[in-house]
Structures are given as structure tokens and as C-alpha cells.
Amino acid sequence: MIRGRAQIVKMFMGMPKFLCFGTVVFLALLAGCSQIERPKVEPFYAVTVPPPKQELNWSNGKMLTSFDPARAAAAPETDLIRAVYEGLTELDSRTLRAAPGVASSWRSSDDLRKWTFYLRDDAKWSNGEPITAIDFVRSWRRLVEMGDKTANNYLFRNIVGMDVGEPKKASPNEDPTDFLKAISSDRGSALARLQVESSPSRRSSPEIGSRSVPKAQPTGSPVSDENAEGKPPLRLGVSAIDDHTLQVELTLPDKDFPQLVANPIFRPVYGDGRNFETSPLDPNVPTNGAFRISQAEEDVVSLVKSDTYWNKRSIALEQVRLVAARSAEDALEAYKKGDVDVVTNAPLEPVAVKVLAPYDDFRRTAHNALNFYEVNTDRPPFNDRRVRQALALSIDREKLSEGDLQGTTQPAYSFSPLAMKRDDTLRLDVNKAADLLDKAGYPDGAGFPAIRLVINRNDIQQRVAASVARMWKQNLNLDTEIIVKEASEMDGVRRTGDFDLLRRGIVLPTNDELVNLTAVQGSARTQLATPTPAAKGGKDEPKPSVENEDEAAKVNGALIPGPEIDKDAVAAVTGSSEGMDQALFELNVIPLYFPTSYSLIKPYIRGFELNGLDAPSLKEVSIDNNWQPAKTNES
């Protein structure tokens, strides 16, 4: 570069003056044109040549740790489980609605608390044995027996007999997206009281290739009269009526239950699953999905199309290789070299996102996870809904996402990006927020105590908290004390209630509205029994309620007696589409933003649908072996 500049200077020195002037003008015009006309960007991030066969190479994160559905909390494990196991239902990757899986059809009782699934008679394990309803009974019983080894245990707590106590939440991690991953709860005394009917098995060997198969029992089979604690036993609300009929009883009504059981943890395992304890990555484990595991190496797990899958004719891919990547840089390099066709679950930095954004093979999707502030409604003045609403309406979520979070998130105006857009309830509205605070008895913030906002020690969360505090000061004249705790301390703070607002995050691995609402706000039963408290220093808010105890028992299935039940809150757990709206109205939590997931997909890949659940279906994927880039006319 230095030599080139010197030659240019020498050239100018040897020119006549009029030529020198003309050359300068020409170069100046040329420089101006180059500034106006930006360099063209290639349409795709990498040179793209389709493979000759239906073989997909997919980089979906780090190396797998287990092939056990019960332990599959997130990718890459959930990707594998969806490929090699099939549940009662599957999710359409475009609409995220329940589609037939092992169950060809299903129906519910009028109160949405009893669901019956009818299993297809041609569903088989990869070893050729038929799948029966008792496989699901045994597998779901195992979820409870595994206790805190189970992933996302709150997903099955609404099934009768499977509520094993309040779920634990992991402390905030230091991941760039920084959201909590719900983990399983303590077994508690519920497991000791759990009794499940069974009869002698046809085969009892725990080894691979064998399984114990109790005789199917009708719903309502008798169980033991008492246990060591002297308490009545719990009956598991999962029954095999016959080989191809499974019945499930729920504690609370759930209109979305068929969507819930598509989650990987509900998929059946062969036998008692004991082999997962000793050989978590055994490729010989029998499975029942569209693909089976053919090989498990250090950084690659290979899948092939299953010959025993009931709908194998519809599967286009013949082979899938799940390729582990130690870092996002390694995944991008493999994609650029053509070693992989798809990259997902790579923790890209904001600068990498900006570089990749112009390319056609780069995708971004709002992840079904929520970062939010939980409000301590036991403390005045935060027990006044108007105060909570004022705080929520005075936050500029667009500014948070585009500024502090550098465009790597999406503003959260609801509890889930999958929820249908209903209105702009949480859009920035400073005037309305100030009016609400005035009506609650705090005109221009006068007399309002300093807000104790507790967050985990994380650079992103500290930056977000500082911005929110400035917004509350500027828009409502409220002061905020930001209290930073270590990640390991956050659960203790929440248990003791030593906060006004608490930073939380949660992954929502389902689009079941009841389950998501319960995960975000806590026990749905607690919500029903908690009336809206009277406001401080202002007019009392209307509290719609069930008029008498008989009506309360009828609406709520006699779970919570008494006249305090909020009719609108009941709608949140009885299948009403207004459930999330009512939760937003109460604003016991204040949504902030949704994390975003990123991927790179070669243009010859068909049917690889991204969605908020990070749940692409390989059953829908194919490769256009004849794909060629579109020709462009060069001027």
C-alpha cells in the first residue's frame, strides 16, 4: 500500500500541470461515484452447491449429552428427540398446531379435563415391536420417578398424580441471551404417595431390546389404600384403556393439551429407560420416529430413515448428520466451506449478526422465551394494579431492544411471541402512565418509595436496568435502587420476597397457553384465589367475581372453593382465549423483551421451517438436488 501511494505521488510530480489537474478531477469524480454506488453483496453467505443425495448435514450446537427424551430441555438434544422419537402428537412446524403422531386422533371431555388419544395400529419401534398405550403410561410414570433428573418438569404438573411440588428455576446464567431454563423440581412427598397399577410383565429384562409390558388397566383402577405417611395415595391420571387407547386426566382444564404433549419429554421410551443411565449415547437404543440412530461418534451423530416408521413413504431425507460445533466461529466456518447445510443454535455476537444480516440464507426468529420483571404484589404500593400498569407503560421497549440490546431481541408486548397480537396494551404511553399513578395517589411520583429492583450480575441486565430506571425517573419521576445479586442468590431473594421487582427470564418450550401462563406467573390455582387488592389513596378498582360458592365450585371443578375467585382469572385456566389478556391486565410481571435465535440455511434446503419453539421438523425437509442460483443480468 505504501509503495502504491509513492508511485502515485511520483506520477503526479512528472505530469504537466494541466494533466495533473485533469487527473485529480477524474479521480475525485470516481471517488464520488464509488461512495454513491455501494459494493454489491453476494446473495448467499457461502458458495452453494447442492449435494447429489438426500443427505442433510446440520450443525445444531455442541455435542449431544443424552438420547433420553426425559432429559431433553433444549437443542441439540430436542432436535435429535424430535427426529428419532414420535409422540402422541407432533407440531406442524409452520402453524405450531397439533398434528397426528402415534395418535391418529383424539377427543376431550366437555370440561377439557379428560383427554382420550387413539393410537394407530401400525406404529412400531425400530426393532419392529408394536407401540401400545402402556408404553406411554410407563414412560410418563418414569418422568415422576426420575425426580430432579427430568427436564422442564412443570410441563406435566397439570396431569393428575404428576404434580411433584413447586418447580425449581435455575439461576440466571451468563449466556448472551440470559434467560432462565426451567428445570425439574424436588420429588417431595408426592412421589412416596404415588401408586401406579401394574401386573406381571411379559418380559422384565432391563437390557436393550426388551421391555416390561404390564397389562392395560381401565381408568379408575383401585390403588393402595394408604402408604408409609398414612396419607391417601395418589392415582396417576394416565391409563391404558386398551392397547390403542390412552386416557389422560388433568387437574385444570387445558384446551391446548394436544399441543403440549408434542414436547419431547412426553415421547415414549422403550422399556424402563434404565439403559440411559449407563449408556446415555447408545446408538442401539430402540426408537419410534421417522429416523433412527445409526452411529454416534465424538462430534457427529448419524441418523438414517427408519424402515419401521408408519409413514416412511412421506420422508424425503435418507440420512442426517448432526455435527457438533465447539463455537459459533467453527459453525460458520463449516457452513462457509460447505461441510454443513444448516447452522442453528449458534451463539452469535451482535457484530456477527450485523455482518450476516444482508445475506438471503440468514434467518432470525423471536425465541419463545421471555425476559421480564416480576412484581412483588405483597408489598404496597405494588399491590395496586394501576401502579404496575404505570410502570409497564412508561418503558420504551423499542429503545431497549434496538439500543441497549443492539437489535438482538424483540420488544415484548405479551408473554410470548407466539401469541396472536391482540392490542397495544403495553406500548409506551407516558401520559396514561402518569394519569394512572396520579389516580393511585402519587401525583408526579410524590410520596412513592424508591423502587428496589433486584437483578443478577450480568452486563446486559445491568445496562437494561439502568435504562429502565432512567425511563421511570424521566416519565414518572420515580427513583430506583438497582440491587445486583450473584446468580446463585436470585432464587433465595425470590423465596424471601426481599424485592419490589425482580429480574427473571424463562424459556417456554411449548405453545400451551395454560402452561406458559403458569410458568411465568406461578401456580394458576394461586392466581385464581388472589383477588385484586384495593388501591392506595385512590378509587377502588372493580373486582369481577363469581357470585356464590356453588358457581365457584362449578366453574373451577371444586379445586378452590369460595367467593373470592375472579371470573376473568378462571378464564385463564379454562381454555378461554382471554387468559393471556387477563394476565396482562393484572401485570404481576412486566414483560421486557424476547431473545432472538439465528440460523443459516442453504437455499437448496426445502421445508426447514424456523419457529419460536426452535422446533424444525426433519420429516418435512427435503433437498433440491437440481437447485441453481438465479442468473443476474450484468449491465
Side-chain angles (χ1 to χ4, degrees):
M1 176 65 73
I2 295 175
R3 188 194 312 176
R5 288 179 178 176
Q7 290 174 343
I8 292 173
V9 171
K10 188 175 181 180
M11 178 184 69
F12 272 91
M13 291 178 65
M15 284 184 179
K17 290 184 178 180
F18 72 92
L19 275 178
C20 181
F21 175 78
T23 303
V24 169
V25 171
F26 171 77
L27 291 175
L29 290 172
L30 184 63
C33 291
S34 66
Q35 291 176 356
I36 295 173
E37 185 178 338
R38 295 181 179 180
K40 294 181 180 179
V41 178
E42 294 294 328
F44 304 112
Y45 177 65
V47 175
T48 302
V49 178
K53 299 180 180 180
Q54 291 291 317
E55 296 178 352
L56 177 73
N57 293 309
W58 179 7
S59 173
N60 65 333
K62 296 185 178 180
M63 183 58 189
L64 291 149
T65 59
S66 174
F67 295 162
D68 186 356
R71 291 176 168 85
E77 284 76 18
T78 50
D79 293 328
L80 173 95
I81 298 306
R82 289 188 180 96
V84 301
Y85 290 94
E86 184 169 73
L88 290 171
T89 63
E90 296 284 288
L91 288 182
D92 183 296
S93 61
R94 297 173 183 83
T95 66
L96 292 179
R97 294 176 181 172
V102 175
S104 58
S105 61
W106 52 87
R107 64 179 176 85
S108 71
S109 58
D110 292 340
D111 63 359
L112 298 172
R113 292 173 61 186
K114 182 178 290 186
W115 289 84
T116 305
F117 296 86
Y118 301 97
L119 279 58
R120 58 182 78 251
D121 56 12
D122 55 350
K124 296 178 181 179
W125 294 100
S126 55
N127 60 11
E129 294 188 26
I131 297 173
T132 65
I134 200 65
D135 289 317
F136 286 92
V137 175
R138 185 194 309 103
S139 298
W140 292 11
R141 175 180 62 189
R142 175 175 174 259
L143 294 176
V144 180
E145 293 172 344
M146 286 179 63
D148 56 10
K149 296 179 182 179
T150 308
N152 298 328
N153 81 317
Y154 68 91
L155 296 181
F156 56 75
R157 293 177 64 238
N158 191 37
I159 298 174
V160 169
M162 295 183 69
D163 186 346
V164 292
E166 285 296 319
K168 287 181 179 178
K169 295 290 188 296
S171 297
N173 55 37
E174 297 304 319
D175 186 88
T177 50
D178 192 37
F179 45 74
L180 302 179
K181 293 184 178 180
I183 61 173
S184 53
S185 76
D186 293 328
R187 295 160 73 177
S189 61
L191 180 58
R193 295 187 283 127
L194 178 60
Q195 301 290 334
V196 182
E197 62 274 14
S198 63
S199 63
S201 62
R202 294 184 304 191
R203 290 171 295 178
S204 58
S205 172
E207 298 178 357
I208 292 291
S210 64
R211 56 177 176 155
S212 58
V213 186
K215 181 181 178 181
Q217 298 288 333
T219 302
S221 295
V223 293
S224 301
D225 293 331
E226 61 180 23
N227 54 55
E229 297 181 0
K231 297 179 181 179
L234 289 181
R235 178 176 57 83
L236 185 66
V238 185
S239 302
I241 304 303
D242 56 42
D243 282 349
H244 299 104
T245 308
L246 183 75
Q247 195 167 81
V248 185
E249 297 177 64
L250 307 180
T251 302
L252 296 175
D254 185 1
K255 65 181 175 63
D256 297 327
F257 189 67
Q259 295 169 192
L260 176 66
V261 295
N263 186 272
I265 69 166
F266 291 101
R267 308 202 173 196
V269 298
Y270 186 85
D272 57 13
R274 209 176 304 173
N275 56 289
F276 292 119
E277 301 294 336
T278 56
S279 303
L281 297 178
D282 187 348
N284 297 313
V285 59
T287 57
N288 74 318
F291 300 87
R292 63 175 177 83
I293 305 168
S294 63
Q295 195 171 7
E297 300 173 334
E298 182 178 356
D299 292 325
V300 178
V301 174
S302 298
L303 315 178
V304 295
K305 184 163 68 171
S306 176
D307 291 332
T308 60
Y309 182 58
W310 63 271
N311 197 23
K312 65 179 180 180
R313 292 182 179 179
S314 69
I315 308 303
L317 294 176
E318 295 291 340
Q319 183 175 349
V320 178
R321 295 172 71 248
L322 302 178
V323 183
R326 291 178 174 82
S327 66
E329 291 76 14
D330 288 346
L332 293 177
E333 181 64 21
Y335 184 86
K336 195 158 191 175
K337 290 168 58 179
D339 293 339
V340 298
D341 308 298
V342 176
V343 172
T344 62
N345 200 36
L348 299 178
E349 295 292 337
V351 63
V353 173
K354 291 180 180 179
V355 170
L356 293 170
Y359 295 104
D360 292 343
D361 47 348
F362 178 69
R363 318 278 180 84
R364 66 176 77 200
T365 309
H367 188 50
N368 198 34
L370 177 67
N371 278 263
F372 60 96
Y373 289 154
E374 178 177 342
V375 185
N376 188 347
T377 56
D378 290 335
R379 286 188 175 187
F382 305 98
N383 59 347
D384 187 336
R385 184 188 60 80
R386 292 170 297 189
V387 169
R388 302 194 295 271
Q389 188 177 4
L391 293 175
L393 291 178
S394 55
I395 297 175
D396 188 344
R397 290 166 179 78
E398 295 279 353
K399 185 176 181 180
L400 285 181
S401 290
E402 295 301 323
D404 297 286
L405 299 168
Q406 303 178 54
T408 59
T409 67
Q410 291 189 15
Y413 298 108
S414 65
F415 290 141
S416 168
L418 305 181
M420 294 178 62
K421 183 178 180 180
R422 297 183 174 98
D423 54 40
D424 293 335
T425 304
L426 296 184
R427 294 278 178 182
L428 177 67
D429 192 333
V430 176
N431 292 333
K432 184 175 181 180
D435 183 60
L436 285 165
L437 201 63
D438 187 2
K439 291 179 179 177
Y442 303 97
D444 194 30
F448 200 95
I451 302 168
R452 298 183 73 254
L453 172 60
V454 179
I455 64 172
N456 53 296
R457 188 178 299 281
N458 175 284
D459 290 342
I460 293 175
Q461 296 310 324
Q462 290 179 249
R463 187 161 62 245
V464 169
S467 290
V468 171
R470 284 194 297 270
M471 294 174 191
W472 284 337
K473 181 64 176 178
Q474 179 179 346
N475 298 332
L476 299 177
N477 196 31
L478 301 181
D479 294 321
T480 304
E481 178 187 3
I482 300 174
I483 302 169
V484 180
K485 295 286 186 179
E486 298 299 329
S488 59
E489 300 177 279
M490 294 294 283
D491 282 340
V493 171
R494 189 174 183 226
R495 283 194 300 271
T496 60
D498 188 20
F499 65 93
D500 295 333
L501 276 76
L502 179 74
R503 210 295 299 188
R504 283 183 61 202
I506 192 168
V507 177
L508 302 170
T510 178
N511 57 341
D512 183 302
E513 187 171 292
L514 168 64
V515 171
N516 287 347
L517 180 63
T518 303
V520 173
Q521 297 218 143
S523 171
R525 301 183 197 181
T526 302
Q527 293 176 51
L528 294 183
T530 305
T532 303
K536 172 189 176 295
K539 297 180 181 179
D540 288 344
E541 296 178 274
K543 306 180 191 65
S545 62
V546 178
E547 294 181 358
N548 57 67
E549 295 188 15
D550 290 339
E551 185 180 359
K554 181 179 178 181
V555 171
N556 199 34
L559 286 174
I560 308 172
E564 293 183 343
I565 299 175
D566 188 316
K567 186 182 298 184
D568 290 330
V570 171
V573 294
T574 55
S576 168
S577 61
E578 298 176 353
M580 285 295 187
D581 286 339
Q582 174 63 19
L584 280 177
F585 177 83
E586 290 297 334
L587 281 173
N588 295 332
V589 303
I590 298 176
L592 295 175
Y593 61 88
F594 303 123
T596 304
S597 58
Y598 308 101
S599 59
L600 283 161
I601 303 174
K602 292 291 178 68
Y604 50 75
I605 302 297
R606 301 286 180 261
F608 196 101
E609 295 291 335
L610 301 172
N611 52 61
L613 294 179
D614 277 352
S617 173
L618 291 180
K619 293 192 294 186
E620 304 168 10
V621 176
S622 64
I623 296 174
D624 183 354
N625 306 115
N626 299 315
W627 180 89
Q628 299 216 352
K631 295 182 179 179
T632 57
N633 295 323
E634 296 182 4
S635 56

